[in-house]
Amino acid sequence: MHSKKIKIVLLLLLLPIWFVFFGEAYLRLIKPQPILPRYIMSGDFGIRVNIPSVEYEHKTPDYTVTLKTNNKGLRANNEIPYDNNNKAYRVVLLGDSFGMGYGVNLEDTFSEKYRVQLELILKRPVELINLAVSGFGTAEQLLMFENEGVRYKPDLVISTWHDTDPEENIRSKLFKLENGELVRDAKAYLPGVKQREFLFKYPLFRYLAENSHLYNLLRGRAASWVKRLLLFRNKQSLQSTGSNTSGDSELTSQILSRLNSEIKDSGAKHIIMSIPEKKSRGSYIETMPIELIEKYNALTLTQTLSENSEQLLYWELSHGHFTPYGCNLVAGALLTHTLAE
Amino acid sequence: MIFTSFDFLIFLVVVFAGYWTLQKHIVYRNLLVLLASYFFYGYWDPRFLFLIAISTSIDFYCGQIIGGRKQVGSGWYSVFFLIASAILFLILPLEQLVSPFVQLDSSLLETILSNTLGWQVLTGLVICLLVVSRILPFLKRLPINQRRKCFLIISIVSNLSILGFFKYFNFFAQSLIDVSNVLFGFTPSDITLNIILPVGISFYTFQTISYSVDIYRKELKPSKNFIEFAAFVSFFPQLVAGPIERGKNLLPQFQKRLYFPDKNELADAVWLIFWGFFKKLVIADNAAKIVNEIFGPLDSGMSSVASIDGGVLLIGVYAFAIQIYCDFSGYTDIARGVAKLFGINLMVNFNLPYFAADPSSFWRRWHISLSSWLRDYLYIPLGGNRGGSFFIYRNLTITMLLGGLWHGASWNFVLWGAFHGLLLSVYRAFNIDTETPNYPKLKRVLMTILFFQFTCFGWLLFRAQNLDTIEHFVVNIFTNFSLSDETLNYASRLLYYCWFLFVFQFYQLFKNNLLPLKNASLFIKVNVYFFIIMGLIALSAKGGKEFIYFAF
């Protein structure tokens, strides 16, 4: 009887351990996961920022790339001071993982290709200040520009639109509409950052984040649940304050409007680039509302991508970011649009 | 509410806890099942609860009289239930009961007054009850045998009327328009109606019909307790997509005290639920993507014959065969597993159907609850195997045609039924019975492979949206077949998701046991469970799809 109990206890202890090994082996053999660790921390202004001076890898069944941040947390190999001592043409890029260049090495990012080509055309140094952080919506782009981007005194600001932006803006609750006016709401939006900062103190977790397929799968699923929960909760509170559901797009529209006017006030030009949603290979959907495209003369990429749909433009076995070829096309379209503007 | 939703998980936990708390009190336990089942169904669309209520009330009352009772005191329960349902229908929209976040924008009184349809239903019901109250005394004076027959007819006609109106009215109306247009060059004004097909209507109407017929045949005693009967009709795990239970099997389980499942029963229940989810979310939903990619352009008439590789089309048909099997049998497994958690055993609905080597064997393995229903309540009353060959083939064809039509109001289902009727007749004509004990094994294997191709052709008829699609598939498979990269790519994608199904089904076949893990070692059990769990986490298709058979 006693030994039976011991057996059961041992079994209960062993099962979770065996599950971890089994799960890891299963995923490596049957469904390798994209391993995209995010090195982010709380910024001084209540939103996430990239951890400065780190170098890490993103490994997926499609690719392995290296990401490196400078001492201000920008994805770059060099340091860029706030003061423009080089008298360079300065471009600030705001965006999410697409803007940050997930899926490609630095030299293949659309921003770097764009910088190099623009430098050739302008025949003067061009500095690209990449302030994009994975997971950002329009609200965070606005705060990033107000607190960081403006300090670089840019000549041009490129912000990106992604189909997840309206949801991200509700989820983050950083802004709300009060009598049709955009006002600041939550002081901070740092989803999972504290937990990540705590866990990343331990080398084991860093190792798991960078190498374990099971860890990344479960973390991804958990993050997706939390995001859905936050969206649900914030939508409910939007409804309870009398806003209707069309307030989602109105909120985003107003944030974009403020971003645009602040950029203009700083003396910089503003280009909005909309990242299309990929439905299948060769099928891309524009997600930015047409009235916003027309209002800001936003750069849309669906035509450019569709014309080259025989090529692999988005990675297919990871989180669907641009391939080097896709980045090349985007950089070309962005350059043409910049010159036309 | 569908099994794959998070809402269902919460619902299940709450009902499970309540059910076993009321274990000793059969009436309250059945009342809980009834309320839970109506909530489960009403979560999708509460308007159609009224149809279940009508079906339940009529069959309970008719069942009493068919069972030989002249004075039906408890029959008043039917009337009360019907009126209560109608009043509930009147204060609709019930969405507000199940969705607490929706705010009422008018008072309850305004809602009631403005519910035109509700008033029409209530008025219609009162008129019907008045008419029935005048006719009933006359019917009750009939000799017992005539009375029993008369109430059996009332039960069957009323159930088939509900089914016919909601499922087939538009189909026959449109067919009438088409026929008069073709034959007489005359197009009558549009007589189709904007009717929504209530989920599960084919399942519960067949279940209640079998109840009445079984009582008439004296194979079942009528239920004396209305709540118990209503719970039997609406039992939520099998309400919307079967199995189509018989009163003989399910009703007695609502009449006795049940005990919490023991270790083995719990293990069976958990396995059925996990395996059902795996079949639905990992295999069926991923196979559906392949099917939709291949059938999609043809459904919308976009592709020309020459542009499609026959190999790809063949994979599309195989993928649909796997999709529909895993979708439907997955649902049944989950339903059986959930029912087992409540101490109730539902019938086996699938028994390795793709290992069938002839059509008779296939129909003894595929959707067993429907095929046995058709056999018992249609084929045998038509004459079954009695009479000459002509009558047997006629009976087979009629049964399969109606079986096809049961699946949906569309000519492709009729065609599918006719095809299976033809297969049954041809195999019978050649006296091919592969299940005789001394049938050569190798020959049986070859016959299984051959019959699988016939089954797949049937699935092509079932899935195709138009005759052009069928023609495209057949022409290209036979004249434009190649093992191109695209074909191999689709084949490997399909195999990637369903190889474990093949392995496990062979394991079931060789063990001759649908639950072979029961006798497996702990090591095997643990690893198979981990495999299923990992598959559900990592391979489930995004964007959950409804079960195919909800549409029937």
Side-chain angles (χ1 to χ4, degrees):
Chain A
M1 193 64 195
H2 195 64
S3 68
K4 199 178 174 186
K5 276 184 184 170
I6 292 173
K7 268 186 188 173
I8 291 171
V9 171
L10 270 176
L11 197 66
L12 289 175
L13 286 173
L14 277 174
L15 277 179
I17 298 169
W18 179 237
F19 180 75
V20 169
F21 282 104
F22 185 95
E24 189 65 32
Y26 178 99
L27 292 173
R28 282 172 189 265
L29 282 171
I30 291 176
K31 181 83 175 172
Q33 296 297 301
I35 296 180
L36 309 174
R38 280 209 265 181
Y39 277 76
I40 50 169
M41 60 180 202
S42 349
D44 296 335
F45 33 98
I47 56 171
R48 295 163 286 183
V49 293
N50 293 316
I51 297 176
S53 309
V54 287
E55 188 172 337
Y56 55 98
E57 280 190 337
H58 277 178
K59 291 177 276 190
T60 78
D62 284 319
Y63 59 81
T64 298
V65 298
T66 303
L67 284 90
K68 191 179 167 190
T69 57
N70 68 12
N71 65 3
K72 287 202 183 74
L74 315 183
R75 188 173 182 194
N77 284 332
N78 58 323
E79 305 303 334
I80 306 173
Y82 290 126
D83 292 328
N84 188 355
N85 297 329
N86 291 346
K87 304 282 181 240
Y89 185 80
R90 284 195 152 180
V91 181
V92 158
L93 174 66
L94 303 167
D96 57 9
S97 53
F98 277 87
M100 203 179 154
Y102 271 33
V104 286
N105 284 314
L106 181 64
E107 61 276 16
D108 291 322
T109 57
F110 74 81
S111 53
E112 182 59 17
K113 288 184 182 216
Y114 168 79
R115 188 194 68 78
V116 170
Q117 290 174 36
L118 192 63
E119 209 164 50
L120 285 173
I121 290 167
L122 296 180
K123 296 189 172 60
R124 62 181 276 207
V126 173
E127 286 177 347
L128 194 128
I129 298 116
N130 190 341
L131 295 175
V133 176
S134 170
F136 264 19
T138 331
E140 286 149 307
Q141 290 187 30
L142 171 59
L143 291 177
M144 183 60 106
F145 179 75
E146 284 176 347
N147 292 280
E148 197 66 13
V150 75
R151 297 173 74 182
Y152 287 94
K153 300 175 197 70
D155 299 293
L156 171 67
V157 177
I158 300 167
S159 65
T160 56
W161 169 280
H162 201 238
D163 67 320
T164 51
D165 283 358
E167 281 191 358
E168 286 296 346
N169 297 333
I170 294 169
R171 210 171 354 244
S172 68
K173 234 186 159 195
L174 289 164
F175 292 94
K176 66 178 177 182
L177 294 176
E178 225 169 59
N179 302 321
E181 290 288 310
L182 187 69
V183 290
R184 184 71 194 263
D185 191 2
K187 280 185 182 167
Y189 175 58
L190 300 161
V193 174
K194 293 279 175 225
Q195 294 83 340
R196 200 185 303 255
E197 282 173 352
F198 170 76
L199 290 173
F200 270 51
K201 283 180 195 162
Y202 301 97
L204 175 67
F205 271 98
R206 279 205 304 277
Y207 178 82
L208 287 176
E210 288 176 3
N211 296 286
S212 166
H213 292 246
L214 184 62
Y215 171 86
N216 277 279
L217 174 74
L218 297 178
R219 194 203 64 78
R221 291 286 189 274
S224 154
W225 270 95
V226 171
K227 281 169 101 177
R228 277 161 62 183
L229 209 65
L230 277 174
L231 183 67
F232 177 75
R233 193 192 67 184
N234 293 350
K235 271 200 170 179
Q236 293 303 325
S237 75
L238 259 182
Q239 282 174 359
S240 66
T241 54
S243 302
N244 54 24
T245 41
S246 66
D248 302 3
S249 52
E250 182 56 26
L251 177 69
T252 299
S253 170
Q254 293 241 18
I255 296 172
L256 204 55
S257 173
R258 180 178 290 182
L259 176 65
N260 185 56
S261 61
E262 288 193 7
I263 291 170
K264 295 268 168 70
D265 291 348
S266 75
K269 286 190 166 18
H270 182 203
I271 288 177
I272 302 173
M273 181 173 76
S274 172
I275 313 279
E277 186 191 346
K278 190 191 94 169
K279 276 289 170 200
S280 60
R281 194 186 282 198
S283 168
Y284 311 102
I285 293 173
E286 181 54 61
T287 58
M288 191 175 189
I290 186 74
E291 60 273 15
L292 291 182
I293 294 175
E294 284 171 356
K295 185 177 175 186
Y296 298 109
N297 190 25
L299 166 62
T300 59
L301 298 166
T302 41
Q303 193 184 342
T304 311
L305 300 183
S306 299
E307 283 167 1
N308 294 274
S309 59
E310 71 284 358
Q311 301 289 334
L312 187 66
L313 305 178
Y314 288 77
W315 293 120
E316 292 183 341
L317 301 175
S318 49
H319 287 188
H321 294 101
F322 288 130
T323 61
Y325 193 87
C327 286
N328 217 7
L329 290 178
V330 174
L334 188 55
L335 190 70
T336 311
H337 192 79
T338 308
L339 298 176
E341 286 280 299
Chain B
M1 200 183 293
I2 59 170
F3 288 162
T4 50
S5 67
F6 185 68
D7 303 354
F8 178 72
L9 183 66
I10 297 170
F11 166 84
L12 185 62
V13 170
V14 172
V15 178
F16 181 78
Y19 185 86
W20 290 113
T21 309
L22 298 171
Q23 182 184 7
K24 291 176 189 169
H25 311 281
I26 297 174
V27 175
Y28 294 127
R29 189 194 72 191
N30 288 338
L31 185 63
L32 176 73
V33 170
L34 176 64
L35 293 174
S37 300
Y38 273 51
F39 180 82
F40 174 85
Y41 191 88
Y43 202 82
W44 168 71
D45 193 334
R47 288 173 297 175
F48 298 119
L49 281 174
F50 190 60
L51 293 179
I52 304 180
I54 290 176
S55 193
T56 306
S57 304
I58 292 174
D59 288 306
F60 180 74
Y61 194 88
C62 291
Q64 301 282 309
I65 309 238
I66 299 167
R69 300 184 69 187
K70 193 169 182 180
Q71 296 300 324
V72 189
S74 54
W76 286 107
Y77 287 122
S78 305
V79 178
F80 289 139
F81 186 65
L82 208 53
I83 291 174
S85 306
I87 290 170
L88 209 58
F89 190 76
L90 191 65
I91 57 170
L92 281 175
L94 280 185
E95 288 92 339
Q96 285 152 3
L97 288 179
V98 293
S99 178
F101 300 110
V102 179
Q103 301 295 314
L104 273 172
D105 50 8
S106 57
S107 71
L108 192 62
L109 188 64
E110 282 173 32
T111 310
I112 294 169
L113 291 175
S114 63
N115 190 346
T116 324
L117 183 62
W119 281 109
Q120 285 169 354
V121 168
L122 191 64
T123 314
L125 183 68
V126 170
I127 294 168
C128 284
L129 287 176
L130 286 172
V131 172
V132 168
S133 68
R134 306 302 298 167
I135 298 171
L136 269 182
F138 166 73
L139 294 177
K140 282 180 184 174
R141 280 198 293 273
L142 290 171
I144 184 157
N145 283 342
Q146 283 184 26
R147 192 168 70 227
R148 292 179 68 235
K149 200 173 216 171
C150 184
F151 276 85
L152 174 68
I153 291 167
I154 291 173
S155 166
I156 292 174
V157 168
S158 50
N159 277 303
L160 290 181
S161 303
I162 293 172
L163 184 63
F165 178 75
F166 282 92
K167 192 163 179 175
Y168 300 108
F169 180 84
N170 276 350
F171 171 66
F172 286 115
Q174 188 59 51
S175 300
L176 188 69
I177 293 171
D178 294 343
V179 167
S180 64
N181 193 17
V182 170
L183 292 183
F184 312 111
F186 161 70
T187 309
S189 57
D190 192 1
I191 48 172
T192 56
L193 297 171
N194 186 21
I195 300 170
I196 303 169
L197 177 69
V199 169
I201 190 166
S202 311
F203 291 91
Y204 67 78
T205 47
F206 268 39
Q207 185 162 315
T208 50
I209 288 173
S210 73
Y211 168 79
S212 300
V213 175
D214 285 349
I215 296 172
Y216 182 77
R217 289 176 177 170
K218 298 189 176 170
E219 291 171 1
L220 176 70
K221 285 189 175 168
S223 168
K224 289 176 186 167
N225 185 303
F226 184 77
I227 291 171
E228 154 198 305
F229 178 73
F232 152 74
V233 174
S234 62
F235 185 45
F236 70 89
Q238 46 92 234
L239 175 62
V240 289
I244 304 165
E245 273 296 340
R246 307 294 179 80
K248 285 176 277 190
N249 175 42
L250 191 53
L251 202 49
Q253 300 187 65
F254 284 100
Q255 291 167 335
K256 63 180 181 190
R257 183 177 167 184
L258 298 170
Y259 293 92
F260 195 82
D262 63 19
K263 199 173 73 178
N264 289 330
E265 287 166 335
L266 269 182
D268 289 351
V270 171
W271 168 252
L272 283 169
I273 292 170
F274 271 91
W275 181 229
F277 274 121
F278 186 84
K279 281 200 273 188
K280 165 66 182 161
L281 297 174
V282 177
I283 305 173
D285 285 357
N286 282 304
K289 286 183 185 170
I290 297 172
V291 173
N292 293 340
E293 279 173 33
I294 297 173
F295 277 79
L298 286 159
D299 288 341
S300 52
M302 279 164 61
S303 277
S304 64
V305 182
S307 64
I308 308 165
D309 182 350
V312 170
L313 298 180
L314 189 63
I315 298 296
V317 180
Y318 287 160
F320 183 67
I322 288 164
Q323 182 201 348
I324 195 162
Y325 169 63
C326 289
D327 192 285
F328 193 19
S329 70
Y331 181 91
T332 307
D333 285 347
I334 300 168
R336 290 184 61 221
V338 169
K340 268 181 190 292
L341 291 179
F342 290 84
I344 287 177
N345 283 305
L346 298 180
M347 67 187 291
V348 174
N349 213 14
F350 292 88
N351 181 11
L352 310 174
Y354 292 147
F355 287 112
D358 63 68
S360 304
S361 168
F362 177 78
W363 284 106
R364 280 194 294 271
R365 295 157 176 266
W366 176 274
H367 200 175
I368 299 165
S369 63
L370 175 68
S371 51
S372 59
W373 194 100
L374 292 171
R375 181 196 62 209
D376 294 345
Y377 303 105
L378 188 61
Y379 181 68
I380 293 173
L382 280 171
N385 293 340
R386 285 164 299 183
S389 300
F390 169 77
F391 289 103
I392 294 173
Y393 299 143
R394 182 203 66 178
N395 298 341
L396 281 173
T397 308
I398 291 173
T399 305
M400 294 318 293
L401 274 175
L402 291 175
L405 199 59
W406 175 90
H407 285 82
S410 173
W411 285 110
N412 62 318
F413 295 124
V414 178
L415 208 58
W416 175 73
F419 173 69
H420 273 280
L422 182 71
L423 279 180
L424 282 163
S425 302
V426 170
Y427 270 70
R428 193 178 182 91
F430 287 97
N431 205 18
I432 303 169
D433 183 2
T434 58
E435 298 219 331
T436 48
N438 52 357
Y439 200 83
K441 277 189 179 170
L442 182 64
K443 199 174 168 189
R444 185 181 291 156
V445 170
L446 294 174
M447 291 296 277
T448 303
I449 295 168
L450 176 70
F451 185 71
F452 181 69
Q453 312 311 313
F454 290 144
T455 311
C456 286
F457 180 74
W459 291 133
L460 172 62
L461 303 179
F462 193 95
R463 172 61 178 77
Q465 308 271 319
N466 47 57
L467 287 174
D468 284 346
T469 302
I470 298 168
E471 187 192 332
H472 284 184
F473 268 76
V474 174
V475 169
N476 280 278
I477 287 171
F478 286 103
T479 62
N480 188 24
F481 184 88
S482 72
L483 285 175
S484 62
D485 286 349
E486 202 185 1
T487 307
L488 294 175
N489 182 32
Y490 274 119
S492 62
R493 265 177 71 191
L494 185 61
L495 206 58
Y496 175 75
Y497 289 110
C498 57
W499 66 268
F500 186 72
L501 176 77
F502 299 148
V503 171
F504 194 74
Q505 297 239 305
F506 275 107
Y507 183 47
Q508 287 174 306
L509 184 74
F510 290 123
K511 289 277 176 185
N512 197 19
N513 186 349
L514 290 176
L515 298 168
L517 283 185
K518 250 181 174 176
N519 306 319
S521 67
L522 182 66
F523 182 76
I524 301 238
K525 272 185 201 167
V526 164
N527 284 297
V528 170
Y529 264 105
F530 282 178
F531 186 90
I532 298 289
I533 291 169
M534 283 309 302
L536 286 169
I537 298 173
L539 299 177
S540 292
K542 280 182 185 164
K545 294 171 183 66
E546 279 209 338
F547 290 89
I548 295 175
Y549 266 66
F550 277 19
F552 305 145

